[in-house]
């Protein structure tokens, strides 16, 4: 029997409805903030991710699923390396949403000079070749937003405020969430800070793990969240970004915090918060559900240099992403649920097979009126049709029998009270609609 790939999931039933519910909440909330939906391709040129996310990140180096067509695979195997491939032949499944959206913004010139910012949101599957475990999948789903062209610290604050409101509307108790924020500096102050952290790691080389020694040269800030406890203990004494910000970055960060305070959004400052992707500048943030044990349930930050890295004109940007599967786990751990109840329907039953044609016409009329309706397709008895109606949560049953059909009527049966009324057939759909409204 064929089986799904480890670390992937089928979405159906209540779990599918939960994912749709998350998108519905996003559409309404993000819409109120002026965001429109975008969908970019699930496969992009490798370079889109390399330029955006950074060559040295784990996501690009180890976790990206590369895509090759069968024909290309034969060439690759014959050549023994991908060196002969053209850029457009090197493809990958998207591991995150920002790089593709920014590529699209540049390619479609969505933020022409002097135009209003582009405010976009997406709900998409992401793919990462990670070792599957609870809350860590190879195909998972994210809702995310990208706001391009807004340098104002109010945009950082509004993104964070909108994110926290999103959790609230999904059913989280805000008191059981922890929002951490930090500033990572920008092109003016980060290079010098990075150098300081590199020197710090090398000065403590005998206490750090192999990975951190490698990171010292390519991505030293990542050592702040090394999986090795001892490395993190050592890093507790390392220089902090917040003490090394340039004046512009410090002013920006202070203003973001003032806006958050004004909106009554609680946060903790975590000077060691460095998000995994290279493109972040200034404000970064992450949210954790307390006692849920599933890691971060969302995070994001400002990425003022990313549009240039993707080949566009300098354009500031900020955004976040929220993982659906972790939200479902975290809500469940806190005693909540993302699931919405199954939709009820109207069941159309017939007393005997002679009325099957009338059932066909009645369900057609109900469905054309937008009423979710079901019928029997297996030749069941009336009694088992009623059982079936209960199973599909029918509130009303339309019963078509020989005698009432001959008079041009149908019987409406309330499945809870078992009360029955007769309605003329031409009025069936409006009568049903008004009863289930
Ligand atoms: P990131 O793009 O790594 O900042 O992730 C943003 C959010 O996506 C995280 O906070 C998680 O909720 C979710 N996420 C990231 N990686 C995975 C994964 N491998 N499996 C499931 N959810 C993930």
């Amino acid at each position: 029997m064929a089986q799904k790939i480890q670390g992937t999931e089928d979405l159906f039933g209540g779990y599918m409805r939960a994912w749709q519910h998350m998108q519905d909440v996003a559409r309404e909330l993000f819409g109120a903030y002026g965001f429109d939906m975008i969908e970019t391709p699930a496969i992009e040129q490798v370079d889109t991710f390399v330029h955006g996310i950074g060559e040295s990140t784990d996501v690009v180096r180890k976790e990206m699923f590369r895509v090759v067509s069968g024909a290309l695979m034969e060439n690759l195997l014959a050549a023994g390396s991908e060196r002969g491939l053209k850029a457009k032949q090197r493809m990958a499944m998207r591991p995150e949403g920002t790089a593709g959206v920014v590529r699209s913004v540049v390619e479609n010139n969505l933020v022409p000079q002097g135009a209003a910012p582009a405010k976009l949101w997406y709900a998409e599957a992401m793919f990462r070749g990670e070792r599957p475990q609870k809350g860590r999948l190879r195909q998972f789903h994210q809702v995310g937003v990208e706001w391009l062209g807004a340098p104002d610290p109010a945009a950082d604050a509004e993104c964070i405020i909108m994110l926290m409101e999103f959790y609230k509307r999904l059913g989280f108790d805000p008191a059981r969430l922890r929002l951490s924020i930090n500033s990572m500096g920008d092109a003016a102050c980060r290079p010098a800070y990075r150098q300081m952290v590199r020197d710090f790691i090398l000065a403590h080389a005998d206490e750090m793990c192999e990975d951190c020694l490698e990171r010292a040269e390519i991505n030293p800030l990542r050592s702040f969240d090394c999986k090795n406890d001892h490395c993190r203990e050592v890093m507790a004494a390392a220089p902090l970004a917040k003490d090394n910000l340039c004046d512009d970055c410090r002013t920006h960060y202070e203003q973001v915090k003032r806006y958050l305070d004004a909106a009554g959004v609680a946060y903790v400052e975590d000077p060691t918060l460095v998000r995994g992707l290279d493109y972040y500048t200034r404000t970064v943030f992450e949210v954790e559900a307390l006692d849920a044990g599933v890691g971060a349930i969302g995070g994001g930050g400002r990425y003022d240099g990313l549009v240039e890295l993707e080949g566009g004109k300098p354009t500031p940007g900020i955004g976040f992403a929220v993982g659906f599967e972790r939200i479902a786990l975290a809500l469940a751990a806190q005693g909540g649920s993302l699931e919405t109840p199954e939709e009820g329907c109207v069941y159309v039953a017939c007393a005997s097979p002679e009325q099957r044609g009338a059932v066909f016409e009645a369900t057609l009329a109900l469905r054309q009126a937008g009423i979710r309706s079901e019928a029997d397709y297996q030749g069941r008895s009336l009694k088992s049709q009623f059982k079936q109606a209960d199973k599909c949560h029918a509130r009303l049953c339309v019963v078509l029998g020989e005698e009432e059909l001959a008079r041009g009527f149908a019987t409406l049966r309330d499945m809870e009270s078992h009360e029955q009324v007769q309605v003329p057939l031409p009025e069936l759909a409006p009568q049903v609609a008004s009863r289930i409204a």
Side-chain angles (χ1 to χ4, degrees), residues 212-421:
C212 280
L213 296 182
E214 202 182 316
R215 282 182 191 122
E217 298 303 340
I218 53 177
N219 202 348
L221 305 192
R222 292 297 291 160
S223 291
F224 280 109
D225 53 11
C226 179
K227 289 187 181 79
N228 187 319
D229 290 341
H230 187 65
C231 291
R232 286 206 311 278
E233 276 165 33
V234 177
M235 290 302 288
L240 295 174
K242 74 176 171 84
D243 301 326
N244 293 282
L245 296 177
C246 59
D247 287 346
D248 286 349
C249 284
R250 190 173 312 111
T251 309
H252 186 98
Y253 187 44
E254 294 303 324
Q255 188 59 46
V256 172
K257 287 189 286 180
R258 272 197 290 274
Y259 281 129
L260 291 179
D261 293 336
V265 168
Y267 57 85
V268 289
E269 288 184 69
D270 177 356
T272 67
L273 175 65
V274 287
R275 305 223 347 115
L277 314 180
D278 268 0
Y279 53 59
Y280 288 110
T281 51
R282 295 194 168 169
T283 318
V284 287
F285 49 94
E286 215 159 72
V287 179
E288 215 182 308
L290 300 176
D291 315 315
V294 294
I297 55 168
R302 182 166 274 288
Y303 46 80
D304 290 345
L306 182 55
V307 176
E308 272 176 286
L309 291 174
E310 294 288 1
K313 300 200 183 79
T315 310
I318 182 157
F320 63 72
V322 176
F324 160 67
E325 290 81 0
R326 289 220 196 137
I327 289 283
L329 285 170
L331 256 181
Q334 294 194 347
S337 170
L338 255 193
E339 289 192 22
T340 52
E342 208 172 308
E343 250 185 83
C345 76
V346 170
Y347 197 91
V348 186
C350 52
S352 71
E354 283 76 57
Q355 289 93 44
R356 189 61 187 80
V359 169
F360 180 81
E361 281 175 26
T363 44
L364 208 61
L366 290 172
R367 288 165 183 167
Q368 269 168 357
I371 298 165
R372 186 178 171 119
S373 25
E374 262 313 330
D376 167 53
Y377 297 86
Q378 289 151 308
R380 293 172 204 258
S381 68
L382 185 58
K383 194 171 156 202
S384 74
Q385 288 178 65
F386 284 151
K387 269 197 200 148
Q388 199 56 32
D390 276 332
K391 265 197 196 142
C392 59
H393 308 285
R395 282 170 51 202
L396 266 188
C397 206
V398 178
V399 190
L400 301 174
E402 189 182 359
E403 186 259 332
E404 59 256 64
L405 276 178
R407 290 191 292 114
F409 278 82
T411 302
L412 291 190
R413 178 185 167 92
D414 186 305
M415 294 303 282
E416 239 174 52
S417 64
H418 292 183
E419 210 176 286
Q420 302 202 152
V421 289

